[in-house]
Amino acid sequence: MVFCYFIATPKKERACIVSTMKTSSARIVTLAFIFITAYHASAYTPLSEQILPETVAVNRHLLTVEGLLNTTVFDDRFDEEKLETTEQINIEGIGSFRSERYTPSGKDILIQSGRKAFAEIHESSNVNIRRLETLFPLIYFHNSVDSPMDNLHYLGFDTRIVVFDRANDTVAFAIGTGDTENPGGTLWIDKKQGFPLKFIGIGTVEGECISLRVDYLDYTRVKQRFRLPTRINYYINDKLLTTRTFQKVSINQPIANSFFETADDSNSCIPLAHFITARD
């Protein structure tokens, strides 16, 4: 009946029907094209080389950081299984870091000079865990666009791997991938604003592989231009180990080179092991 009706329809009406069908078909094709384009756009993941320049731009002119922190260390060796103390940190450029933390046994000192890190501490059984704390200059200080890529390679990242993920409920790019069976590092970077959110690396304690994680939280602006976290959490195998909260911070003030020198007595200065990488 439809076919017969079409034949019997006047010529002008037939032309109108054909025109309407063509318009509908064009709309369907257009909508399909839009959906396909949107899908590919959402599925596209940029390369590390495209992500990291924005991270560099966040703190491009950051030269030094001096901070006074409230630090809580969770350990059954202390009363109430935790130690609440103060800590002073000094950072200059990519390779210079110093931490002084006060404990019931005395003062623990952590120093990074270049890419070597050392500890002068009273409890050394899990000393390699504190390698996590030396990451700050490697992640936040960049003197060129090439430096973050170089730092990630040094830390054992496979920078060819980038995926979309979430870190602390924030949409992020995750650069690198790794776990205790496939060693390597992963760095989560805020997709919208470019600053670091989380790091996971693989270390060793008493010959066993462990997952070491840092969460960079509660970002604030310092001097209206720099973006820095005010709270940093450290984990071992997803168990909270240490929380640091910044109380005071000073930016781009001169720091004496002697702050980053290690003691001559090798017995008091323990080298910290590097993170395990796929190359190892």
Side-chain angles (χ1 to χ4, degrees), residues 2-27:
V2 174
F3 178 79
C4 293
Y5 173 79
F6 183 82
I7 296 298
T9 303
K11 184 176 181 180
K12 183 181 289 187
E13 293 184 26
R14 291 203 304 270
C16 182
I17 293 172
V18 171
S19 176
T20 302
M21 292 175 63
K22 288 181 177 179
T23 301
S24 298
S25 297
R27 286 176 178 171

Side-chain angles (χ1 to χ4, degrees), residues 137-174:
L138 293 173
I139 290 179
Y140 285 91
F141 286 71
H142 307 295
N143 51 26
S144 72
V145 174
D146 294 331
S147 67
M149 186 70 75
D150 186 46
N151 291 341
L152 292 181
H153 288 161
Y154 159 68
L155 292 169
F157 282 68
D158 186 346
T159 56
R160 298 169 299 178
I161 299 174
V162 180
V163 299
F164 287 111
D165 201 357
R166 284 187 174 271
N168 309 319
D169 297 324
T170 301
V171 178
F173 296 116

Side-chain angles (χ1 to χ4, degrees), residues 49-190:
E49 293 87 340
Q50 296 170 299
I51 297 169
L52 292 173
E54 186 173 351
T55 302
V56 172
V58 171
N59 292 316
R60 183 181 294 276
H61 300 290
L62 186 64
L63 303 176
T64 68
V65 172
E66 296 178 89
L68 180 65
L69 294 76
N70 285 343
T71 298
T72 302
V73 181
F74 299 93
D75 193 317
D76 57 15
R77 293 183 296 114
F78 304 118
D79 293 339
E80 300 181 0
E81 298 187 349
K82 66 180 181 180
L83 169 68
E84 295 182 349
T85 185
T86 58
E87 184 174 359
Q88 176 73 39
I89 64 168
N90 299 85
I91 308 169
E92 183 175 31
I94 296 174
S96 298
F97 173 90
R98 179 187 179 96
S99 158
E100 294 185 7
R101 180 183 299 172
Y102 301 91
T103 74
S105 302
K107 183 168 63 176
D108 286 351
I109 298 175
L110 188 67
I111 294 176
Q112 176 169 295
S113 180
R115 288 184 168 174
K116 296 181 179 180
F118 305 88
E120 298 178 37
I121 64 177
H122 294 83
E123 174 54 52
S124 60
S125 59
N126 294 334
V127 66
N128 285 335
I129 294 174
R130 297 201 62 184
R131 184 75 185 188
L132 275 176
E133 300 168 32
T134 69
L135 286 173
F136 198 95
L138 293 173
I139 290 179
Y140 285 91
F141 286 71
H142 307 295
N143 51 26
S144 72
V145 174
D146 294 331
S147 67
M149 186 70 75
D150 186 46
N151 291 341
L152 292 181
H153 288 161
Y154 159 68
L155 292 169
F157 282 68
D158 186 346
T159 56
R160 298 169 299 178
I161 299 174
V162 180
V163 299
F164 287 111
D165 201 357
R166 284 187 174 271
N168 309 319
D169 297 324
T170 301
V171 178
F173 296 116
I175 300 177
T177 184
D179 52 39
T180 53
E181 294 183 358
N182 300 288
T186 308
L187 177 66
W188 284 259
I189 294 176
D190 188 295

Side-chain angles (χ1 to χ4, degrees), residues 233-247:
N233 290 344
Y234 301 86
Y235 298 80
I236 173 173
N237 291 336
D238 291 325
K239 179 181 178 181
L240 183 60
L241 180 69
T242 306
T243 294
R244 284 165 146 183
T245 305
F246 281 82
Q247 299 304 304

